[in-house]
């Protein structure tokens, strides 16, 4: 017995051949391939993802989202219980907040129908909560290729809370993890990574590339009583890429081990927590640049010089942390340190010329300290 399968975008043909009383019997079964669709929520304020009648498809006869390329649209405040494993490409939320809650151990896979399409979770003026509060180890969010967290709230604040575990990619074939404000320079968008079991492999991009989208984009590690840790950024090889000058990586709670990875680009690193009494405000927290951390300001095409700002209530640096600076004959990247308490820098500072024609005696401002800092010394 043998079987041979031929697939195309239009149909799936299965041909089975088997010996039958010394002869050959051939049969063919025709089946239509499933087409991705957009599903609009119609299940009221509370519902179950795979219940009958809670989704309204645009074109398909399928009753619920569940294949690569499917999009989900939520236009009213809703809490959706997940009781099975599902696949979608994107989730768009507006008007009322979305909360995904788990019953049992659930995997939500984000997979597009085409490698050219980016999976996207979009929060328009309302918060999105992926998993139960504050950390949900029963919910796994699996990224197949790229995943974009995006938000827009005019002049206000909007957040996506990622409480489930993020997985996907390998060191050899990493995924891409993107966060950006959606085309509004006045909007404030926050992504809160909450789970210390995040295992995804891929760099974390904070902010859109270029100078056309300069909204206030912040990725927070932790929230409230959940202390931020380096593990929330996934595999230890993942880098953080700050883009567009107004992007920030914020650590909440002053974890003693601190940040342990490479941070590149142009933006800010902060010890910071959201004020739970007034969400538009943030309060300074301690910040630790831990073992293996590397601050590497780098030039973007739209910025004349790469700069990373470091802001916190107190700053502590590990002896194996470093600041890595690129210099040319006329300019250099820069790190600006600012705290509200005196601090001692115990890490390393590396300078790497980008050209071999720099004249002796050339000088650069590579580290600056804000006036608010009470004191700064090198160890």
């Amino acid at each position: 017995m043998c079987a041979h399968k031929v697939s195309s975008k239009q149909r799936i043909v299965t041909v089975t051949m088997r010996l039958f009383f010394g002869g050959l019997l051939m049969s063919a079964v025709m089946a239509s391939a499933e087409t991705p669709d957009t599903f609009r929520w119609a299940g009221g304020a509370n519902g179950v993802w795979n219940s009958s009648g809670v989704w309204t498809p645009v074109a398909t006869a399928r009753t619920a989202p569940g294949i690569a390329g499917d999009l989900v649209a939520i236009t009213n405040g809703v809490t959706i219980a997940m009781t099975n494993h599902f696949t979608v490409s994107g989730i768009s939320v507006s008007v009322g907040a979305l909360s995904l809650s788990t019953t049992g151990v659930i995997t939500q896979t984000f997979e597009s129908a085409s490698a050219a399409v980016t999976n996207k979770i979009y929060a328009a003026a309302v918060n999105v909560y992926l998993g139960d509060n504050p950390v949900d180890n029963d919910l796994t969010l699996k990224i197949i290729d790229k995943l974009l967290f995006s938000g827009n709230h005019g002049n206000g604040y909007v957040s996506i809370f990622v409480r489930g575990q993020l997985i996907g990619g390998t060191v050899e074939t990493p995924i891409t993890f993107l966060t950006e404000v959606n085309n509004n320079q006045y909007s404030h968008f926050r992504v809160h990574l909450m789970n210390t079991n995040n295992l995804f492999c891929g760099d974390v991009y904070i902010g859109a590339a270029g100078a056309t989208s300069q909204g206030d984009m912040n990725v927070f590690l932790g929230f409230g009583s959940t202390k931020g840790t380096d593990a929330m950024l996934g595999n230890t090889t993942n880098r953080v890429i700050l883009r567009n000058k107004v992007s920030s990586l914020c650590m909440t709670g002053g974890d003693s081990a601190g940040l342990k990875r490479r941070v590149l680009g142009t933006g800010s690193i902060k010890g910071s927590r959201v004020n739970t009494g007034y969400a538009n405000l943030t309060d300074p927290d301690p910040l630790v640049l831990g073992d293996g951390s590397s601050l590497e300001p780098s030039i973007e095409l739209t910025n004349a010089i790469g700069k990373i700002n470091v802001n916190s209530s107190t700053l502590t640096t590990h002896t194996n942390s470093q600041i890595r600076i690129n210099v040319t004959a006329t300019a250099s990247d820069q790190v600006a340190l600012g705290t509200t308490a005196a601090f001692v820098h115990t890490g390393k500072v590396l300078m790497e010329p980008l050209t071999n024609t720099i004249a002796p005696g050339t000088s650069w401002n590579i580290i600056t300290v804000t006036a608010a800092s009470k004191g700064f010394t090198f160890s």
Side-chain angles (χ1 to χ4, degrees):
M1 181 191 301
C2 67
H4 176 63
K5 294 185 178 181
V6 180
S7 300
S8 71
K9 292 183 179 180
Q10 291 76 30
R11 59 186 180 180
I12 300 174
V13 181
T14 302
V15 179
T16 303
M17 295 177 288
R18 59 172 66 91
L19 291 176
F20 180 72
F21 291 110
L24 183 65
L25 175 67
M26 178 180 292
S27 61
V29 179
M30 305 291 291
S32 297
E34 293 181 318
T35 302
D37 198 5
T38 297
F39 292 80
R40 305 189 185 282
W41 179 256
N46 293 276
V48 179
W49 185 285
N50 57 327
S51 289
S52 175
V54 297
W55 296 104
T56 301
V58 172
T60 186
R62 291 185 291 116
T63 59
I67 67 170
D70 277 347
L71 302 175
V72 166
I74 310 291
T75 55
N76 57 331
V78 61
T79 297
I80 303 178
M82 305 189 75
T83 61
N84 211 331
H85 303 299
F86 300 99
T87 298
V88 296
S89 178
I91 298 175
S92 179
V93 184
S94 61
V95 182
L98 165 67
S99 295
L100 293 183
S101 64
T102 54
T103 301
V105 180
I106 307 300
T107 298
Q108 171 75 77
T109 300
F110 292 92
E111 182 178 8
S112 61
S114 165
V117 178
T118 299
N119 306 303
K120 183 177 181 179
I121 300 178
Y122 176 57
V126 293
N127 292 342
V128 174
Y129 303 90
L130 302 176
D132 294 321
N133 186 49
V135 177
D136 191 347
N137 287 316
D138 286 334
L139 176 62
T140 296
L141 304 166
K142 184 176 182 180
I143 310 168
I144 297 299
D145 34 51
K146 292 182 289 187
L147 181 60
L148 167 65
F149 289 97
S150 181
N152 188 346
H153 189 7
N155 296 332
Y157 290 77
V158 64
S159 298
I160 294 178
F161 291 82
V162 188
R163 295 164 170 171
Q165 177 191 22
L166 285 165
I167 67 171
T170 65
V171 174
E172 294 76 19
T173 56
I175 56 93
T176 302
F177 187 101
L178 303 160
T179 65
E180 62 183 55
V181 180
N182 187 57
N183 297 324
N184 188 328
Q185 63 177 316
Y186 305 109
S187 191
H188 307 271
F189 177 46
R190 298 166 177 163
V191 174
H192 291 268
L193 301 181
M194 305 291 291
N195 201 304
T196 58
N197 294 317
N198 289 339
L199 299 175
F200 69 94
C201 291
D203 292 340
V204 177
Y205 290 82
I206 305 178
T212 58
S213 176
Q214 296 192 12
D216 181 26
M217 176 69 245
N218 299 272
V219 171
F220 278 82
L221 307 183
F223 177 78
S225 61
T226 301
K227 183 178 291 188
T229 70
D230 184 84
M232 293 172 177
L233 290 166
N235 188 279
T236 56
T237 63
N238 299 346
R239 304 174 303 171
V240 175
I241 316 296
L242 301 171
R243 304 196 293 188
N244 231 324
K245 296 184 287 187
V246 291
S247 57
S248 299
L249 173 66
C250 306
M251 293 195 72
T252 293
D255 176 57
S256 60
L259 190 67
K260 300 180 181 180
R261 63 190 65 230
R262 296 175 65 191
V263 181
L264 298 81
T266 303
S268 299
I269 301 173
K270 300 177 181 179
S272 179
R273 68 172 57 240
V274 175
N275 187 308
T276 54
Y278 190 66
N280 289 1
L281 297 180
T282 57
D283 299 317
D285 255 351
L287 177 65
V288 177
L289 299 178
D291 185 4
S293 68
S294 181
L295 306 188
E296 304 175 24
S298 55
I299 296 173
E300 294 184 87
L301 293 177
T302 53
N303 296 325
I305 194 167
K307 183 177 181 180
I308 293 179
N309 299 292
V310 180
N311 299 293
S312 58
S313 58
T314 63
L315 177 64
T316 304
T317 57
H318 192 277
T319 54
N320 197 35
S321 66
Q322 70 175 16
I323 295 174
R324 186 173 174 179
I325 300 292
N326 292 321
V327 296
T328 69
T330 57
S332 67
D333 296 331
Q334 186 178 137
V335 170
L337 303 172
T339 72
T340 55
F343 64 97
V344 178
H345 188 279
T346 60
K348 305 176 181 68
V349 177
L350 304 179
M351 293 181 62
E352 298 183 338
L354 296 179
T355 175
N356 57 6
T357 59
I358 298 176
T362 303
S363 62
W364 306 268
N365 293 322
I366 60 173
I367 297 177
T368 61
V369 181
T370 64
S373 297
K374 304 300 181 184
F376 167 65
T377 56
F378 277 106
S379 172

